[in-house]
Amino acid sequence: MKKSYVIILIIGLGLTALIFQLPKGNVSNTTSNTPAGGANRDAKGDDHQDEHTEKSATKSEETHAAPLTKAQQAAVSKLKSELSQAKTEVAKSSVLDKLINTFVGANHYDSAAYFAGQFADQHPVLNNFLRAGQLYFEAQTYALNPTKGKAMGEKARVYFEQVLSKDPSNLLVKTNLAMTYVDTPTPMKGITLLREVIEQEPTFVPALFNLGILSIKSNQFGKGQERFTQILKLEPTNYKAALNLGFCLAQLDKLDEAKKVLRMVLDKSKDPEETKAAQELLAEMQKH
């Protein structure tokens, strides 16, 4: 079930990225703090820096399996021009939102994260750190190349740590921060962070979910079954948890139980990615 393993893992890791909601509205106050390694520049920048930004973002865009369409390229080019010409923070933020949405719509999370990170470095406030961290986290989640994923995770940590320095009670950011350590030489840092979250809030679903994902990655399918079963007791319509539960059950040779769970996803989920994953898992099970 190697192919389905990859499918289910991507869906699992994407959960906390998809449910994360940024605070609404712009924050005009700024602080003197910037992320480690970030540039504390004036919002206007300079010609050399703008050229560097453009080249770096373009290089990022070229690393995707699905390049931008001509229409998307035109939209991005127009928005980049508008961003460079915007005179105020509010105007820049408005254009940036459109540019980010364009990149995200094309699944170019790293490009979206790059521009969000640049803006956060220039305007270091909580909302901007949240946006940059989350986008880099999503870029890590969906990276096809492990080296690229590692780099995106490192960037996400920079911004998440800035968020937690200002808002240490944000359990979702702490949970996402934990997952940036998964494929590093120190994965236990991530597990420790998740356990801290669970100690503080035993029913915090994103942390439970990611502990389940880590159980899958370490082939501890029994522990994974426990985590995803617990989630479904808390959230019976959490079909991503159901998919992973079905996968764990299949790995434990509890095939009848696995099929029951996966068929439930097929019957009740309205998400085409979830139903496709359930179908592929069931098809894989028929081969064994």
Side-chain angles (χ1 to χ4, degrees), residues 22-170:
L22 290 174
K24 304 299 181 182
N26 295 317
V27 179
S28 59
N29 295 329
T30 59
T31 73
S32 60
N33 296 324
T34 57
N40 187 9
R41 297 184 301 275
D42 182 82
K44 294 180 181 178
D46 55 56
D47 292 341
H48 175 73
Q49 183 59 48
D50 289 343
E51 182 180 358
H52 173 72
T53 299
E54 183 78 14
K55 289 181 179 178
S56 297
T58 301
K59 182 178 180 181
S60 174
E61 291 159 26
E62 291 172 350
T63 63
H64 296 272
L68 295 173
T69 65
K70 289 184 177 180
Q72 289 169 335
Q73 289 176 10
V76 165
S77 179
K78 180 175 181 292
L79 289 168
K80 285 180 180 178
S81 178
E82 291 178 8
L83 184 63
S84 66
Q85 295 173 18
K87 302 300 183 183
T88 67
E89 179 181 346
V90 172
K92 284 181 177 290
S93 182
S94 177
V95 178
L96 179 64
D97 285 341
K98 296 176 184 178
L99 181 59
I100 286 173
N101 288 337
T102 301
F103 280 130
V104 170
N107 294 321
H108 285 223
Y109 289 98
D110 54 350
S111 297
Y114 181 85
F115 282 96
Q118 289 289 308
F119 191 77
D121 293 347
Q122 295 165 359
H123 306 285
V125 296
L126 182 62
N127 283 14
N128 295 338
F129 291 145
L130 279 167
R131 176 168 57 186
Q134 187 57 32
L135 286 167
Y136 271 117
F137 178 65
E138 292 181 13
Q140 177 199 14
T141 299
Y142 296 107
L144 300 178
N145 181 288
T147 300
K148 179 179 176 180
K150 180 181 177 181
M152 296 297 99
E154 289 173 354
K155 285 284 191 178
R157 281 198 294 278
V158 169
Y159 294 107
F160 282 155
E161 286 168 357
Q162 286 290 326
V163 172
L164 291 174
S165 72
K166 299 174 184 298
D167 182 15
S169 64
N170 193 321

Side-chain angles (χ1 to χ4, degrees), residues 120-260:
D121 293 347
Q122 295 165 359
H123 306 285
V125 296
L126 182 62
N127 283 14
N128 295 338
F129 291 145
L130 279 167
R131 176 168 57 186
Q134 187 57 32
L135 286 167
Y136 271 117
F137 178 65
E138 292 181 13
Q140 177 199 14
T141 299
Y142 296 107
L144 300 178
N145 181 288
T147 300
K148 179 179 176 180
K150 180 181 177 181
M152 296 297 99
E154 289 173 354
K155 285 284 191 178
R157 281 198 294 278
V158 169
Y159 294 107
F160 282 155
E161 286 168 357
Q162 286 290 326
V163 172
L164 291 174
S165 72
K166 299 174 184 298
D167 182 15
S169 64
N170 193 321
L171 296 184
L172 189 49
V173 168
K174 194 171 184 179
T175 297
N176 287 352
L177 172 63
M179 296 307 288
T180 68
Y181 285 104
V182 171
D183 293 318
T184 70
T186 56
M188 280 305 299
K189 286 186 178 180
I191 295 172
T192 298
L193 285 171
L194 289 174
R195 288 173 177 170
E196 288 176 2
V197 171
I198 293 299
E199 286 177 7
Q200 187 172 347
E201 180 53 69
T203 59
F204 191 64
V205 168
L208 292 171
F209 196 104
N210 285 335
L211 283 170
I213 290 297
L214 294 179
S215 295
I216 288 178
K217 285 179 69 69
S218 59
N219 295 323
Q220 298 181 73
F221 301 110
K223 288 186 177 180
Q225 177 188 351
E226 292 175 7
R227 296 294 187 187
F228 297 121
T229 298
Q230 183 180 0
I231 291 171
L232 288 173
K233 289 179 180 178
L234 296 167
E235 297 181 355
T237 60
N238 191 326
Y239 299 121
K240 290 181 174 62
L243 283 166
N244 283 282
L245 174 59
F247 178 79
C248 289
L249 289 169
Q251 294 298 316
L252 295 168
D253 289 327
K254 300 178 180 180
L255 299 185
D256 289 341
E257 293 179 57
K259 290 177 182 178
K260 181 178 179 180

